Amino acid sequence: MNSIPVIFITARTDEASIEKAYEVGGVDYVTKPFKPKELFARVKTQLQLSTLIKELEASKRELKYLSEIDPMTKLYNRRYFNHVAKNMMQLAKRDESTLSVVMLDIDKFKEVNDTYGHDVGDEIIIALSDILLEMTRESDLVCRYGGEEFLLLLPETSLEGALVIAEKIRKKVALFVLSLENGHKVSVTLSSGVSEVDSIQDQTIEASIKKADIALYTAKSKGRDQVVPFSLSLIE
Ligand code: GH3
Ligand code: MG
Ligand code: MG
């Protein structure tokens, strides 16, 4: 949309001329001989309108941001993930490229909250979110899928590639220490389940997420702080 409103001043009052003025982008017209007060009033109205439109556009951008981003971690939220994942899956199918999902969950996080309080728990979630962003590519989708659960969607990444990334993240998180003011040091571990999107078998992204979730469950039951790939043997 044109950001400078144009008001036509014209001696023509026939319908076709007025229509033409609007057609070429005019927002209003004044006929000659014009009254200065009327012209000023019309200019003022247009300026007010233009300010309102700018405010509306800013609000729309803000709303879009709020609907896509988790306010605490600034990672994408689940809703946005599901939306983008669907498109990424279609693209991968079309280009016959690989796409992988990693589901990560903080181990025994309830204990962290119970021992150090919810605020410290929040700090840990934020710090881990930063690690996830730091360890992934610009083209990867990093999402806070639930309370202390994250999902990565990695385009052009095979199961093997995704396992390498998940393992690097696991190691980095295991080394991370949050130092509290009272001298206490808090650290956590992460468990991950990894699946490669099977463009034939997985009809929806939810099917691939489910596989990563099954692998994550296995990682938990095998003792946590580990990365497990999905394989059919896990559901047999
Ligand atoms: P597991 O190793 O099996 O994953 O154990 P867990 O304790 O991490 O799992 P559980 O699902 O029992 O507990 C998750 C905890 O995460 C409980 C919940 O209060 C906490 N949690 C979820 N979201 C937040 C959050 O935003 N901030 C904080 N501080 N805690 C959160
Ligand atoms: Mg957990
Ligand atoms: Mg959990």
Side-chain angles (χ1 to χ4, degrees), residues 94-136:
R94 196 194 65 190
D95 301 346
E96 292 179 13
S97 64
T98 50
L99 177 67
S100 291
V101 175
V102 182
M103 184 176 272
L104 316 99
D105 186 289
I106 308 178
D107 296 328
K108 306 266 185 203
F109 195 56
K110 201 175 169 310
E111 283 178 16
V112 173
N113 278 328
D114 292 347
T115 314
Y116 302 101
H118 216 262
D119 286 349
V120 170
D122 283 0
E123 272 190 66
I124 292 278
I125 291 178
I126 293 166
L128 260 50
S129 302
D130 292 343
I131 291 178
L132 293 181
L133 286 177
E134 185 193 315
M135 307 289 287
T136 49

Side-chain angles (χ1 to χ4, degrees), residues 194 211 214-216 218-219 222 228-236:
V194 183
K211 289 178 179 172
I214 290 167
L216 170 64
T218 307
K222 281 170 76 179
V228 171
F230 173 79
S231 73
L232 287 175
S233 63
L234 298 182
I235 46 175
E236 273 162 6

Side-chain angles (χ1 to χ4, degrees), residues 9-234:
I9 301 178
T10 175
R12 300 180 182 204
T13 52
D14 60 294
E15 212 173 315
S17 301
I18 292 163
E19 238 172 53
K20 182 89 188 152
Y22 282 121
E23 245 172 54
V24 296
V27 292
D28 199 1
Y29 74 97
V30 177
T31 51
K32 281 197 222 169
F34 66 85
K35 302 178 195 79
K37 274 196 178 157
E38 183 192 354
L39 181 61
F40 279 130
R42 285 178 187 263
V43 167
K44 204 173 147 198
T45 303
Q46 287 306 327
L47 289 176
Q48 282 169 338
L49 257 177
S50 138
T51 306
L52 279 174
I53 288 168
K54 274 186 201 134
E55 282 172 9
L56 189 67
E57 280 167 353
S59 303
K60 271 163 77 178
R61 279 195 297 275
E62 172 77 4
L63 260 183
K64 189 169 182 302
Y65 180 81
L66 290 174
S67 70
E68 293 174 349
I69 302 291
D70 166 54
M72 189 171 112
T73 60
K74 308 284 184 284
L75 296 181
Y76 287 113
N77 60 24
R78 188 181 191 130
R79 184 188 129 109
Y80 183 78
F81 183 94
N82 287 333
H83 172 69
V84 171
K86 215 170 270 173
N87 296 338
M88 275 194 178
M89 199 175 167
Q90 279 166 3
L91 267 181
K93 209 169 202 170
R94 196 194 65 190
D95 301 346
E96 292 179 13
S97 64
T98 50
L99 177 67
S100 291
V101 175
V102 182
M103 184 176 272
L104 316 99
D105 186 289
I106 308 178
D107 296 328
K108 306 266 185 203
F109 195 56
K110 201 175 169 310
E111 283 178 16
V112 173
N113 278 328
D114 292 347
T115 314
Y116 302 101
H118 216 262
D119 286 349
V120 170
D122 283 0
E123 272 190 66
I124 292 278
I125 291 178
I126 293 166
L128 260 50
S129 302
D130 292 343
I131 291 178
L132 293 181
L133 286 177
E134 185 193 315
M135 307 289 287
T136 49
R137 296 171 299 187
E138 193 86 3
S139 54
D140 297 335
L141 188 62
V142 182
C143 154
R144 184 178 183 202
Y145 208 61
E148 30 81 76
E149 198 172 286
F150 307 90
L151 259 188
L152 309 180
L153 191 65
L154 313 172
E156 282 163 38
T157 309
S158 63
L159 180 70
E160 290 71 28
L163 284 169
V164 171
I165 295 169
E167 183 57 21
K168 273 190 189 163
I169 292 171
R170 187 197 66 77
K171 282 194 180 130
K172 183 99 181 179
V173 168
L175 291 173
F176 169 79
V177 179
L178 177 71
S179 300
L180 305 183
E181 278 176 10
N182 61 10
H184 282 133
K185 295 192 184 307
V186 189
S187 45
V188 290
T189 57
L190 262 186
S191 294
S192 304
V194 183
S195 73
E196 184 179 316
V197 176
D198 185 327
S199 62
I200 297 162
Q201 232 186 42
D202 301 349
Q203 289 301 312
T204 60
I205 195 69
E206 285 78 16
S208 313
I209 295 173
K210 179 76 194 153
K211 289 178 179 172
D213 193 27
I214 290 167
L216 170 64
Y217 183 78
T218 307
K220 292 281 182 186
S221 58
K222 281 170 76 179
R224 296 171 172 83
D225 189 22
Q226 55 194 284
V227 178
V228 171
F230 173 79
S231 73
L232 287 175
S233 63
L234 298 182

